[in-house]
Coordinates of all heavy atoms in Angstrom, one line a residue:
M1 N -1.6 7.3 7.3 CA -0.9 6.5 6.4 C -1.9 6.0 5.3 O -3.0 5.5 5.6 CB -0.2 5.3 7.1 CG 0.7 4.4 6.1 SD -0.3 3.2 5.3 CE -0.7 2.0 6.6
V2 N -1.5 6.1 4.1 CA -2.3 5.5 3.0 C -1.7 4.3 2.4 O -2.4 3.2 2.3 CB -2.3 6.6 1.9 CG1 -3.1 6.0 0.7 CG2 -3.0 7.9 2.3
A3 N -0.4 4.3 2.2 CA 0.3 3.0 1.6 C 1.7 3.1 1.8 O 2.3 4.2 1.8 CB 0.0 3.0 0.1
T4 N 2.4 2.0 2.1 CA 3.9 1.9 2.2 C 4.4 0.8 1.4 O 3.7 -0.1 1.1 CB 4.3 1.7 3.7 OG1 3.7 0.4 4.2 CG2 3.8 2.9 4.6
L5 N 5.7 0.9 1.0 CA 6.4 0.0 0.2 C 7.8 -0.2 0.6 O 8.5 0.8 0.8 CB 6.3 0.5 -1.3 CG 7.1 -0.4 -2.4 CD1 6.6 -1.7 -2.6 CD2 7.2 0.4 -3.7
T6 N 8.2 -1.4 0.8 CA 9.6 -1.7 1.2 C 10.5 -2.2 0.0 O 9.9 -2.6 -0.9 CB 9.7 -2.7 2.3 OG1 9.2 -4.0 1.9 CG2 8.8 -2.3 3.6
N7 N 11.8 -2.2 0.3 CA 12.6 -2.7 -0.8 C 12.4 -4.2 -1.2 O 12.7 -4.5 -2.3 CB 14.1 -2.6 -0.4 CG 14.7 -1.2 -0.5 OD1 13.9 -0.3 -0.9 ND2 15.9 -1.0 -0.3
D8 N 11.8 -5.0 -0.2 CA 11.5 -6.3 -0.6 C 10.1 -6.5 -1.1 O 9.6 -7.6 -1.2 CB 11.7 -7.2 0.6 CG 10.8 -7.1 1.7 OD1 10.0 -6.1 1.7 OD2 10.9 -7.8 2.8
D9 N 9.4 -5.4 -1.5 CA 8.2 -5.3 -2.2 C 7.1 -5.6 -1.2 O 6.0 -5.9 -1.8 CB 8.1 -6.3 -3.5 CG 9.1 -5.9 -4.5 OD1 9.4 -4.7 -4.7 OD2 9.8 -6.8 -5.1
T10 N 7.2 -5.5 0.0 CA 6.1 -5.6 0.9 C 5.3 -4.3 0.9 O 5.8 -3.3 1.0 CB 6.6 -5.8 2.4 OG1 7.3 -7.1 2.4 CG2 5.4 -6.0 3.3
T11 N 4.0 -4.5 0.8 CA 3.2 -3.3 0.7 C 2.1 -3.4 1.9 O 1.8 -4.4 2.4 CB 2.4 -3.2 -0.6 OG1 1.6 -4.4 -0.8 CG2 3.3 -3.1 -1.8
D12 N 1.7 -2.2 2.3 CA 0.6 -2.1 3.3 C -0.2 -0.9 2.8 O 0.2 0.1 2.4 CB 1.3 -1.8 4.7 CG 0.3 -2.0 5.8 OD1 -0.8 -2.7 5.7 OD2 0.4 -1.4 6.9
Y13 N -1.5 -1.1 3.1 CA -2.5 -0.1 2.7 C -3.5 0.1 3.8 O -3.9 -0.7 4.5 CB -3.3 -0.5 1.5 CG -2.5 -0.7 0.2 CD1 -2.0 -2.0 -0.2 CD2 -2.3 0.4 -0.6 CE1 -1.2 -2.1 -1.3 CE2 -1.6 0.2 -1.8 CZ -1.0 -1.0 -2.1 OH -0.2 -1.2 -3.3
A14 N -3.9 1.3 3.9 CA -5.1 1.7 4.8 C -6.3 0.9 4.3 O -6.5 0.8 3.2 CB -5.3 3.1 4.9
D15 N -7.1 0.5 5.3 CA -8.3 -0.3 4.9 C -9.2 0.5 3.9 O -9.8 -0.1 3.1 CB -9.1 -0.7 6.2 CG -8.5 -1.8 7.0 OD1 -7.6 -2.4 6.5 OD2 -8.8 -1.8 8.2
S16 N -9.2 1.8 4.1 CA -10.1 2.7 3.3 C -9.7 2.7 1.8 O -10.6 3.1 0.9 CB -10.2 4.1 3.9 OG -8.9 4.6 3.9
V17 N -8.5 2.3 1.5 CA -8.0 2.4 0.1 C -7.7 1.0 -0.5 O -7.3 1.0 -1.7 CB -6.8 3.4 0.0 CG1 -7.1 4.7 0.6 CG2 -5.6 2.7 0.5
K18 N -7.7 0.0 0.3 CA -7.4 -1.4 -0.3 C -8.3 -1.7 -1.5 O -9.5 -1.4 -1.5 CB -7.6 -2.4 0.8 CG -6.5 -2.4 1.8 CD -6.7 -3.5 2.9 CE -5.5 -3.5 3.8 NZ -5.8 -4.6 4.9
G19 N -7.7 -2.3 -2.6 CA -8.4 -2.5 -3.7 C -8.6 -1.4 -4.7 O -8.9 -1.6 -5.9
R20 N -8.3 -0.1 -4.2 CA -8.3 1.0 -5.1 C -7.0 1.7 -5.5 O -6.9 2.3 -6.5 CB -9.4 2.0 -4.5 CG -10.8 1.5 -4.2 CD -11.7 2.6 -3.8 NE -11.4 3.2 -2.5 CZ -11.0 4.5 -2.4 NH1 -11.1 5.3 -3.4 NH2 -10.7 5.0 -1.1
F21 N -6.2 1.7 -4.4 CA -4.9 2.4 -4.6 C -3.8 1.3 -4.7 O -3.9 0.3 -4.1 CB -4.6 3.3 -3.3 CG -5.4 4.5 -3.2 CD1 -6.6 4.6 -4.0 CD2 -5.1 5.5 -2.3 CE1 -7.4 5.8 -3.8 CE2 -5.8 6.6 -2.1 CZ -7.0 6.8 -2.8
T22 N -2.7 1.7 -5.5 CA -1.6 0.9 -5.6 C -0.4 1.7 -5.5 O -0.1 2.7 -6.3 CB -1.5 0.1 -7.0 OG1 -2.7 -0.6 -7.1 CG2 -0.3 -0.8 -7.1
I23 N 0.6 1.4 -4.6 CA 1.8 2.1 -4.5 C 3.0 1.2 -5.2 O 2.9 0.0 -5.3 CB 2.3 2.2 -3.0 CG1 3.6 3.0 -3.0 CG2 2.4 0.8 -2.4 CD1 4.0 3.4 -1.5
S24 N 3.9 1.9 -6.0 CA 4.9 1.3 -6.9 C 6.0 2.1 -7.0 O 6.0 3.3 -6.5 CB 4.3 0.9 -8.2 OG 3.9 2.1 -8.9

């Protein structure tokens, strides 16, 4: 998993990509 996004705008990122990747 790299990143996830829910309908209520909750996001989750793998530690290795935090601060560098953005899901939208």
Side-chain angles (χ1 to χ4, degrees):
M1 186 275 288
V2 176
T4 59
L5 174 67
T6 66
N7 280 2
D8 67 357
D9 297 320
T10 298
T11 58
D12 191 26
Y13 296 94
D15 287 343
S16 60
V17 308
K18 285 181 179 177
R20 300 189 297 119
F21 290 11
T22 303
I23 186 171
S24 63

